[in-house]
Coordinates of all heavy atoms in Angstrom, one line a residue:
M30 N 13.7 19.2 16.4 CA 13.8 19.8 15.1 C 15.3 20.1 14.8 O 16.0 20.7 15.6 CB 13.0 21.1 15.1 CG 13.1 21.8 13.8 SD 12.0 23.2 13.8 CE 13.3 24.5 13.6
I31 N 15.8 19.7 13.7 CA 17.2 19.9 13.3 C 17.2 21.2 12.5 O 16.5 21.4 11.5 CB 17.7 18.7 12.4 CG1 17.7 17.5 13.3 CG2 19.1 19.0 11.9 CD1 18.1 16.2 12.5
G40 N 21.1 28.2 20.5 CA 22.3 28.6 21.1 C 23.5 27.6 21.0 O 24.6 27.9 21.4
V41 N 23.2 26.4 20.4 CA 24.3 25.5 20.1 C 24.8 25.7 18.7 O 24.0 25.6 17.8 CB 23.8 24.0 20.3 CG1 24.9 23.1 19.9 CG2 23.3 23.8 21.7
R62 N 19.8 19.8 28.1 CA 19.2 20.2 26.8 C 19.5 19.2 25.7 O 20.2 19.4 24.8 CB 19.6 21.6 26.4 CG 19.2 22.7 27.4 CD 19.5 24.1 26.9 NE 20.7 24.3 26.2 CZ 21.9 24.6 26.7 NH1 22.0 24.8 28.0 NH2 23.0 24.8 25.9
A88 N 31.8 11.2 9.3 CA 30.4 10.8 9.5 C 30.3 9.8 10.7 O 29.4 9.9 11.5 CB 29.8 10.3 8.2
R100 N 23.0 8.1 25.3 CA 23.3 7.6 26.7 C 23.1 8.7 27.7 O 22.5 8.5 28.8 CB 24.7 7.0 26.7 CG 25.1 6.5 28.1 CD 26.6 6.1 28.1 NE 27.5 7.3 27.9 CZ 27.8 8.2 28.8 NH1 27.4 8.2 30.0 NH2 28.7 9.2 28.4
G103 N 19.7 9.5 28.8 CA 19.0 8.4 29.5 C 18.1 7.6 28.5 O 17.1 7.0 29.0
E110 N 21.0 1.2 19.6 CA 20.8 1.2 18.2 C 21.9 1.9 17.5 O 22.5 1.4 16.5 CB 19.5 1.9 17.8 CG 18.2 1.2 18.2 CD 17.0 2.0 18.1 OE1 17.0 3.3 18.1 OE2 15.9 1.4 18.1
L111 N 22.3 3.1 18.0 CA 23.3 3.9 17.4 C 24.7 3.2 17.5 O 25.5 3.2 16.5 CB 23.4 5.3 17.9 CG 22.1 6.1 17.6 CD1 22.1 7.4 18.4 CD2 22.1 6.5 16.1
V115 N 27.2 2.0 14.5 CA 28.6 2.3 14.5 C 29.4 1.1 14.2 O 30.3 1.1 13.3 CB 29.1 3.0 15.8 CG1 30.6 3.0 15.9 CG2 28.5 4.4 16.0
S118 N 28.9 0.0 10.6 CA 29.6 0.9 9.7 C 31.1 0.6 9.7 O 31.8 0.5 8.7 CB 29.4 2.3 10.1 OG 30.1 3.2 9.3
Q123 N 35.6 -2.4 6.4 CA 36.6 -3.4 6.4 C 37.5 -3.4 7.7 O 38.6 -4.0 7.7 CB 37.5 -3.4 5.2 CG 36.8 -3.4 3.9 CD 35.9 -4.6 3.7 OE1 36.3 -5.7 3.9 NE2 34.6 -4.4 3.4
T126 N 37.0 -7.7 13.1 CA 36.1 -8.0 14.3 C 36.9 -7.8 15.6 O 36.3 -7.7 16.6 CB 35.5 -9.4 14.2 OG1 36.5 -10.3 14.1 CG2 34.6 -9.5 13.0
P129 N 39.9 -2.8 18.2 CA 39.4 -2.2 19.4 C 38.2 -1.2 19.2 O 37.3 -1.2 20.1 CB 40.6 -1.4 20.0 CG 41.8 -2.1 19.4 CD 41.4 -2.6 18.0
V131 N 35.9 -1.5 16.9 CA 34.7 -2.3 16.6 C 34.2 -3.0 17.9 O 33.1 -3.0 18.2 CB 35.0 -3.4 15.5 CG1 33.9 -4.3 15.3 CG2 35.4 -2.7 14.2
R137 N 29.7 -1.3 23.9 CA 28.8 -0.2 24.3 C 27.4 -0.5 24.0 O 26.5 -0.2 24.8 CB 29.3 1.1 23.7 CG 30.6 1.6 24.3 CD 31.0 2.9 23.6 NE 32.3 3.3 24.1 CZ 33.5 3.0 23.5 NH1 33.5 2.3 22.4 NH2 34.6 3.4 24.1
H139 N 26.0 -3.4 23.7 CA 25.6 -4.5 24.6 C 25.3 -3.9 26.0 O 24.3 -4.1 26.6 CB 26.7 -5.5 24.7 CG 26.4 -6.7 25.5 ND1 27.1 -7.9 25.5 CD2 25.4 -7.0 26.4 CE1 26.6 -8.8 26.3 NE2 25.5 -8.2 26.9
R146 N 14.8 -0.9 29.9 CA 13.8 -1.4 30.9 C 12.5 -1.7 30.2 O 11.7 -2.4 30.7 CB 13.6 -0.4 32.0 CG 14.8 -0.1 32.8 CD 15.3 -1.4 33.5 NE 16.6 -1.3 34.1 CZ 17.6 -2.1 33.8 NH1 17.5 -3.1 32.9 NH2 18.8 -1.9 34.3
L154 N 15.5 -5.2 20.0 CA 16.9 -4.9 19.8 C 17.8 -6.2 19.9 O 18.9 -6.2 19.3 CB 17.4 -3.9 20.8 CG 16.9 -2.5 20.7 CD1 17.2 -1.6 21.9 CD2 17.4 -1.8 19.4
P156 N 17.8 -9.4 18.7 CA 18.3 -10.2 17.5 C 19.5 -9.6 16.8 O 20.5 -10.3 16.5 CB 17.1 -10.4 16.6 CG 15.9 -10.3 17.6 CD 16.3 -9.3 18.6
G167 N 34.3 -9.9 21.3 CA 34.9 -9.0 22.2 C 35.9 -9.7 23.2 O 36.1 -10.9 23.1
A172 N 30.4 -12.9 27.0 CA 29.4 -11.8 26.7 C 28.2 -12.3 25.9 O 27.1 -11.9 26.2 CB 30.2 -10.6 26.0
Q177 N 22.5 -13.8 25.6 CA 21.5 -14.9 25.3 C 20.7 -15.2 26.5 O 19.5 -15.4 26.5 CB 22.2 -16.1 24.7 CG 22.7 -15.8 23.3 CD 23.5 -17.0 22.8 OE1 24.3 -17.6 23.5 NE2 23.4 -17.3 21.5
L183 N 13.9 -12.4 29.1 CA 12.9 -11.5 28.5 C 11.8 -12.2 27.7 O 10.6 -11.8 27.8 CB 13.6 -10.5 27.5 CG 14.5 -9.4 28.1 CD1 15.2 -8.7 27.0 CD2 13.7 -8.5 29.0
H185 N 10.6 -15.1 28.5 CA 9.7 -15.7 29.5 C 8.8 -14.7 30.2 O 7.9 -15.1 30.9 CB 10.5 -16.6 30.5 CG 11.2 -17.7 29.9 ND1 10.5 -18.7 29.2 CD2 12.5 -18.1 29.8 CE1 11.4 -19.6 28.7 NE2 12.6 -19.3 29.1

Side-chain angles (χ1 to χ4, degrees):
M30 178 176 118
I31 298 174
V41 177
R62 298 188 323 269
R100 177 189 61 81
E110 291 169 340
L111 292 167
V115 168
S118 181
Q123 307 304 311
T126 58
V131 174
R137 287 178 186 94
H139 187 164
R146 297 297 166 238
L154 289 169
Q177 290 171 320
L183 289 173
H185 295 302

